[in-house]
Amino acid sequence: MTAVTPATPATTAVPSLGRRVLALMGPMVVASVMGQAIAQTDLWVISTLGEQAVAAAAVPQRLLLLDSITAMAMGPVVGLSVAGAVTAHARRRAVQGGLVGATAAGLLIAAIGLAVLPYLVNTLVAAPGIRDNTQSALLWLLIATPVRLAQFVGAMALFALRRSRPLLALYAVAVVANAALDWFFVHGVGLGFAGAYAATSVIAALECVVTVWLLRDHLSLALRLRDSARWLRQVARSMITEWGHMLSVIGFELILVLALTLDASWTDRLAAFSAGAVLTATLHIPITALVNATGMVCKGEPPSAREWRNLRGGVLAVSAAVCVLVATAAWTVLPGLYDLHGTAATWFTWLMAAQAVAFPFRLLAATAEGRHKAADRFGVVLRLRLLQEFGIALPVFLVGLLTDNGILAWSGIALGCAVNHWLLHRRTPTRLPAAPAPPVAAPSRDA
């Protein structure tokens, strides 16, 4: 008899760590860009109403920072929970708990906002036209807060489930529909300034309905509110820590703006920061996506040390190219793009040069930050971010501002990012929390 050789099992090639991160990161970047497109379309349609309407558009979003911070705090935690779930029941509980928590938080923010913000607007806004426009916009934005938060959390769950294609198609349709509804509500129906926010709120509601429908297989069983509440209690600490993390990022920029408004002679420096903030927000899109994507990948099988070296090498190469591009543009075309001259152009140039130098450190830190969050070490990320923003960047900025030294003022940004990256990398966890062990099968009686 001839011996029968056992068939070797077919092996499937595992994508590299870089490809797995890009597969998650790419859709998040595209979604963020589409969100920015909706905001820019709103502003463009509002600009057809005059300069006062454009000025009023800056107020509502600044007063609803609590909305944005809560969304950015809950979304990544839900995404990591879904990506790291071992069983289908755990995934279903994370999705349902995230949607319930986001809706409840949205209702709470809306209730507080409707009660407090009208009085706050009357106190802070002096111009009657801007005050009336702000109040009408806030009414629409607050009504839509629960669906906006639920949609964002649902989107992060879909990203974690690797089901981003239908979501991106939804966002593409939303960009076009929002542009049409903006024009229809502002000029067709005659709602004026409030029409742009009415259109955005309608689009947010439709996006929420479709997102929940895309998650219908995770909502098929009867929703147990007690089970969702138990899950929310388990992740509450991570969410609160992430909420503080996002507040520190926005708080740093808010303190800078308030400091620059203290002296009328610093108006040109405020103009430089205002123009630079727009470009900086664009640079932050891939950074945020890389943090979330890295964390989701780490929730699965931990990558090897070689895979991490290859990923960081690719990140360094890309970020270095962006650094050179941004720095070159800052010294050539960017000041003219925003019609900045004299001191404003000088401070703007040094700001963007500092952001260019800081970008590789930010992007490399994002990979380490994702690993920390995957290991549920949100507190480490928060403490180091506070050191970066308030322990280094802010004091250096104030010294540079008082000594009228733009190079010194903005150098703290790059220095803070470098220190944050170094400390994050030194404290990177070598192993992630172990997944629950599968049940051990009872020994067979036939053995």
Side-chain angles (χ1 to χ4, degrees):
M1 294 180 61
T2 58
V4 179
T5 57
T8 57
T11 58
T12 57
V14 178
S16 66
L17 176 61
R19 289 191 176 185
R20 281 180 283 160
V21 170
L22 282 176
L24 285 168
M25 180 181 170
M28 294 181 193
V29 172
V30 174
S32 298
V33 170
M34 289 183 180
Q36 289 290 328
I38 288 179
Q40 291 300 320
T41 303
D42 291 345
L43 186 59
W44 178 77
V45 175
I46 286 173
S47 68
T48 63
L49 300 174
E51 186 176 331
Q52 189 179 59
V54 176
V59 182
Q61 295 295 345
R62 300 301 184 278
L63 292 178
L64 280 179
L65 287 178
L66 187 62
D67 180 346
S68 303
I69 293 173
T70 303
M72 295 301 294
M74 294 190 69
V77 175
V78 173
L80 290 173
S81 299
V82 173
V86 178
T87 64
H89 174 73
R91 280 193 299 273
R92 190 161 50 246
R93 189 176 68 158
V95 171
Q96 294 181 162
L99 291 175
V100 170
T103 304
L107 289 172
L108 180 61
I109 292 173
I112 295 174
L114 289 172
V116 173
L117 285 181
Y119 301 100
L120 188 62
V121 171
N122 286 332
T123 303
L124 296 178
V125 183
I130 295 179
R131 182 170 60 243
D132 294 340
N133 284 337
T134 300
Q135 288 182 341
S136 62
L138 284 174
L139 177 63
W140 283 103
L141 290 174
L142 287 169
I143 291 174
T145 294
V147 294
R148 280 205 313 276
L149 288 183
Q151 195 282 325
F152 184 82
V153 168
M156 291 302 296
L158 286 171
F159 286 136
L161 293 168
R162 274 72 165 178
R163 293 163 59 179
S164 58
R165 229 176 244 185
L167 187 64
L168 295 181
L170 167 65
Y171 286 158
V173 173
V175 170
V176 177
N178 180 77
L181 285 179
D182 273 345
W183 197 264
F184 174 72
F185 280 122
V186 172
H187 295 288
V189 179
L191 291 178
F193 181 85
Y197 296 92
T200 302
S201 299
V202 171
I203 293 298
L206 293 176
E207 286 180 339
C208 182
V209 170
V210 176
T211 300
V212 172
W213 181 79
L214 291 173
L215 290 167
R216 62 191 182 279
D217 55 333
H218 285 76
L219 305 172
S220 56
L221 296 182
L223 178 61
R224 297 180 177 85
L225 292 179
R226 183 179 300 177
D227 200 26
S228 299
R230 187 182 302 113
W231 179 85
L232 285 170
R233 284 196 300 271
Q234 292 172 356
V235 300
R237 182 176 179 180
S238 297
M239 286 186 179
I240 293 173
T241 306
E242 187 68 1
W243 194 90
H245 177 208
M246 297 309 304
L247 182 62
S248 69
V249 176
I250 297 175
F252 170 72
E253 296 183 355
L254 182 60
I255 291 176
L256 257 63
V257 171
L258 292 177
L260 290 170
T261 57
L262 293 176
D263 193 326
S265 63
W266 292 339
T267 304
D268 45 11
R269 294 152 180 79
L270 180 59
F273 177 77
S274 180
V278 176
L279 296 173
T280 302
T282 304
L283 290 174
H284 282 180
I285 289 177
I287 295 171
T288 304
L290 181 58
V291 171
N292 292 329
T294 305
M296 290 178 185
V297 168
C298 286
K299 276 294 188 180
E301 184 179 352
S304 65
R306 181 179 179 181
E307 287 181 309
W308 276 117
R309 284 195 300 269
N310 293 338
L311 175 65
R312 289 173 60 81
V315 167
L316 180 60
V318 172
S319 60
V322 174
C323 171
V324 173
L325 179 63
V326 173
T328 303
W331 285 99
T332 53
V333 299
L334 287 181
L337 181 65
Y338 294 99
D339 198 24
L340 299 175
H341 306 282
T343 304
T346 302
W347 277 67
F348 171 79
T349 299
W350 285 118
L351 168 60
M352 294 314 302
Q355 293 289 4
V357 174
F359 187 74
F361 294 111
R362 290 186 194 274
L363 213 58
L364 287 170
T367 60
E369 187 175 319
R371 296 180 73 178
H372 280 287
K373 290 184 177 180
D376 297 325
R377 301 181 65 184
F378 289 83
V380 173
V381 176
L382 174 59
R383 288 191 295 273
L384 294 182
R385 177 55 67 100
L386 291 174
L387 172 65
Q388 171 191 328
E389 305 285 13
F390 300 103
I392 299 175
L394 183 59
V396 174
F397 169 78
L398 293 176
V399 172
L401 179 65
L402 295 175
T403 58
D404 197 22
N405 189 329
I407 303 175
L408 176 62
W410 300 126
S411 64
I413 295 176
L415 178 61
C417 290
V419 172
N420 181 46
H421 161 253
W422 177 63
L423 293 176
L424 276 173
H425 184 63
R426 281 193 60 188
R427 301 182 184 185
T428 299
T430 55
R431 62 178 64 183
L432 299 176
V440 180
S444 172
R445 294 183 179 179
D446 298 330

